[in-house]
Amino acid sequence: MARNLMRAQTRRMRATNQAILAKQRQRLQLMALERDLAAAAEIQHGLLPRDFAALSVRPQLEVHAMMRPAREIGGDFYDAFFIGENGLFFAVGDVSEKGIAAALFMARALTLLRSEALRAESPLAVVERVNAALCQDNPKSMFVTLACGMIDLADGGVEVIARVGELAERNPNETASIVRQWLNEPAET
């Protein structure tokens, strides 16, 4: 009887120890995931411009932006950079999903936007090329809602794709219309 009691006690202790170890493993996995998410958030924020003084080089131009994601990482993004001496390309976008998948798709979209903006002749051409690229190898059918444009600092002209919804959702040939707005004030030199 004492032997049976010892065996039963040993089984209970093993079960308790195994439960404690399983909880510790779960906590360690959660801590590792939290570290990975924090690192991913830091990398994602590093993809976005932060030096707005370098973009605000003309008296008539002041550039500022910030992002506060609802989660650690997500699909929201913005960008602004010079193309040539007088062109300032800008973009603000949001990926359809949230979390890690959206962050990865955001990095893809942002990279495509930057590379296409440097070689395209207009924001519309940028959007068409980016849309075509995002439609390829897109098994989750994710998409980007995007506003982008180009400011010509020489003459004050602004060419904007006012609302490009659902980039890469279904048809890469659908594009938004261009809204052209020419500022009344000439650019100061």
Side-chain angles (χ1 to χ4, degrees):
M1 183 148 155
R3 194 175 264 174
N4 288 341
L5 185 58
M6 288 295 284
R7 285 183 187 150
Q9 184 66 21
T10 301
R11 280 194 298 272
R12 272 187 248 142
M13 288 174 64
R14 276 192 193 128
T16 301
N17 287 343
Q18 288 174 347
I20 290 169
L21 286 173
K23 284 184 182 181
Q24 284 181 326
R25 275 190 226 106
Q26 285 177 338
R27 274 192 228 123
L28 289 172
Q29 288 173 342
L30 181 60
M31 288 171 54
L33 181 60
E34 287 172 349
R35 277 193 309 271
D36 287 348
L37 283 173
E42 190 175 326
I43 290 167
Q44 184 178 31
H45 288 129
L47 293 173
L48 304 175
R50 291 180 297 234
D51 184 10
F52 298 110
L55 294 171
S56 303
V57 296
R58 305 256 173 112
Q60 75 273 26
L61 179 67
E62 212 173 290
V63 179
H64 296 281
M66 70 180 224
M67 184 178 76
R68 289 192 185 141
R71 296 181 181 177
E72 288 87 353
I73 59 174
D76 299 334
F77 65 91
Y78 62 87
D79 204 357
F81 53 89
F82 285 107
I83 297 177
E85 269 188 47
N86 292 313
L88 179 69
F89 181 84
F90 62 91
V92 177
D94 182 29
V95 174
S96 59
E97 301 288 326
K98 299 296 175 211
I100 295 170
L104 289 170
F105 201 77
M106 168 275 218
R108 182 178 179 204
L110 190 59
T111 301
L112 287 166
L113 270 170
R114 288 175 179 168
S115 67
E116 292 301 334
L118 291 172
R119 67 187 194 107
E121 52 282 347
S122 71
L124 180 59
V126 171
V127 168
E128 288 173 337
R129 291 176 185 165
V130 169
N131 191 41
L134 289 176
C135 285
Q136 296 174 8
D137 301 320
N138 186 358
K140 289 192 66 157
S141 297
M142 296 176 76
F143 62 89
V144 176
T145 300
L146 175 74
C148 69
M150 177 77 78
I151 300 173
D152 185 335
L153 299 173
D155 65 10
V158 180
E159 186 176 3
V160 179
I161 302 294
R163 181 182 177 276
V164 177
E166 293 75 50
L167 266 186
E169 183 179 37
R170 288 187 182 84
N171 184 349
N173 296 321
E174 290 179 12
T175 55
S177 62
I178 294 178
V179 176
R180 285 194 182 271
Q181 175 184 351
W182 296 97
L183 302 176
N184 294 330
E185 301 173 22
E188 293 180 23
T189 55

